[in-house]
Amino acid sequence: MKYLRDIGSYFLMLKKVFSSPTKRSVMRELIFKEIDDLIIRSLGIVAFISFFIGGVIAIQTALNLDNPLIPKTLIGFATRQSMILEFAPTFMSIILAGRAGSFITSTIGSMRVTEQIDALEVIGVNSLNYLVFPKIIAMLFFPFIIVISMFLGMLGGYLAGVYGGFSTSADFIAGLQNTFYPFHLVYAFFKTFLFAFLLATVPSWHGFYMKGGSLEVGKASTKAFVWTSILIILTNYIVTQLLLSQ
Amino acid sequence: MIKVENITKHFGEDEILKGISTTFERGKTNLIIGRSGSGKTVMLKCLVGLFLPNSGEIFFEDKALGEMNNEEQRILREETGMLFQGGALFDSMNIEDNVMFPLRMFSDKSRPELLARVNEVLKRVDLENVNKKFPSEISGGMKKRVSIARAIVNKPKYLFCDEPNSGLDPKTATLIDNLIQDITKENNITTVVVTHDMNSVMEIGEKIVFLKNGKLVWQGTKQEIFKTNNEDVTDFVYSSDLFKKIRNIQIEEN
């Protein structure tokens, strides 16, 4: 029963987010601030993780190629497919559910605890539009992070594969170019947009409707991370089933 | 003037406000007092529209809050200022932007024009040269003054204060009380203050509403509160040793 009520409350929140818009000049500033907080400040961790995971994928693939009939180009191919189809869109989203999601929940939750949300309402601001809408717009830039993640993952794989002595440069690049379906990029970016929406709204819901004090802010952040991750995994499964299965 | 007619508010099974009727007069500091849990803050939140009463009506100058259309509600918001218990200043903004925020929401004036008004109200609450500081960099008393500045920056007709001097030393608390009263007189606004501090009652209580367990059990002036025979009120007023001693001295003198 509680879950049903929570789901209803989430959709009612979305309705309010898109009603009674905040003044345009104020909203513009908020959007730039959110892009900085949620996108630009996430670039470092995304770049670091993507680069090294790309490297690990290349090494793991190479170490498991003990059949001489399997071409070495598979190392580049496996790195590309892993990065584009799953690692960059899905796992980066889960990593960002920890980083950006917790940030969103704790920021909004702290505002709730310290009555800043009440202050917005008394001033006549639609607090949900003011707090959540700029985050949704900022997260529209999430695919840029995913592009960077894809590129750095493949670069990491290339450097680990070639300079680690597992593949030649020509083999790796041939593997990267082998049987490339542009639709895989469409699939990856389509689900990235869905994950971006979840990343902006689920942690916001947890922060906005939390009750209690600072201890509960911490608990809400943890819950937000768990639920955002669960929803990303479920959405990933459904989208994959719909778009990729024959 | 604000008129409250028979409002009730309950959360689930708990009935917090049980049919309260009173008026808060213009140009006066109206106090809602009572022990913790008596429903003071819930009543204040009903007055500012943060909670909707389950029944009853609140009138702002004879216009019922429940019957106002969106535009009337927007105008009422513009005419309302509120001082929250903890200040509720926006952490992400400096003092200048905090005070400017309500102006930006309701006005299309240029930033220099808005800044002039911000500096004017900051000066009124005796705060200068703090414009670029953040809320975390100033004291509790200064936060309250910034919050008052933000509440009055739009020249409101109604000012609501939730425990304005909680957590402050007695001298700063008196300063805040006097500031609220002076602003009320200067601008002829309707001010409603929620407090359980008897010093505030002594300082600024022109009209006092006493709540107990969600019911209005007494209302009057600060002169009358010391003469009433209402047991609930005397229990509350003389719960501090200082006021007990004052009463004993008065009895001996009489």
Side-chain angles (χ1 to χ4, degrees), chain B residues 31 33 195 197-205 208 222 225:
Chain B
L31 266 56
I33 63 169
T195 186
D197 182 6
M198 277 309 294
N199 292 322
S200 293
V201 175
M202 298 282 285
E203 287 284 340
I204 60 172
I208 301 157
K222 68 179 172 188
I225 201 169

Side-chain angles (χ1 to χ4, degrees), chain B residues 40-156:
Chain B
K40 308 184 294 288
T41 300
V42 173
M43 180 159 173
L44 191 77
K45 289 192 172 181
C46 285
L47 291 174
V48 295
L50 287 173
F51 291 154
L52 283 176
N54 293 100
S55 64
E57 194 54 90
I58 299 166
F59 296 88
F60 289 82
E61 317 294 343
D62 298 330
K63 187 84 192 170
L65 182 61
E67 290 168 11
M68 287 183 186
N69 60 31
N70 286 348
E71 181 57 17
E72 286 169 331
Q73 281 185 12
R74 193 197 67 77
I75 293 168
L76 180 64
R77 289 272 170 239
E78 196 175 345
E79 292 172 339
T80 301
M82 180 157 178
L83 166 61
F84 286 85
Q85 194 171 354
L89 298 176
F90 304 121
D91 298 328
S92 57
M93 298 178 195
N94 63 25
I95 302 306
E96 184 177 287
D97 288 335
N98 259 290
V99 179
M100 197 184 287
F101 189 79
L103 284 176
R104 290 187 70 196
M105 285 297 149
F106 294 110
S107 159
D108 289 321
K109 287 181 182 166
S110 66
R111 191 171 171 91
E113 285 174 295
L114 300 181
L115 196 54
R117 173 67 184 152
V118 168
N119 288 330
E120 189 186 325
V121 287
L122 282 175
K123 195 175 172 188
R124 177 64 195 86
V125 296
D126 291 325
L127 279 177
E128 285 174 280
N129 305 319
V130 294
N131 289 37
K132 299 297 173 194
K133 288 193 173 175
F134 280 83
S136 57
E137 297 170 331
I138 59 174
S139 69
M142 288 165 96
K143 276 183 196 165
K144 288 279 165 80
R145 281 188 277 166
V146 174
S147 193
I148 293 174
R150 186 177 67 182
I152 62 169
V153 74
N154 260 337
K155 299 182 179 168

Side-chain angles (χ1 to χ4, degrees), chain B residues 210-227:
Chain B
F210 183 84
L211 299 189
K212 188 186 177 193
N213 298 331
K215 282 185 181 162
L216 192 157
V217 293
W218 181 87
Q219 53 186 333
T221 64
K222 68 179 172 188
Q223 288 80 21
E224 289 164 350
I225 201 169
F226 293 104
K227 292 174 189 164

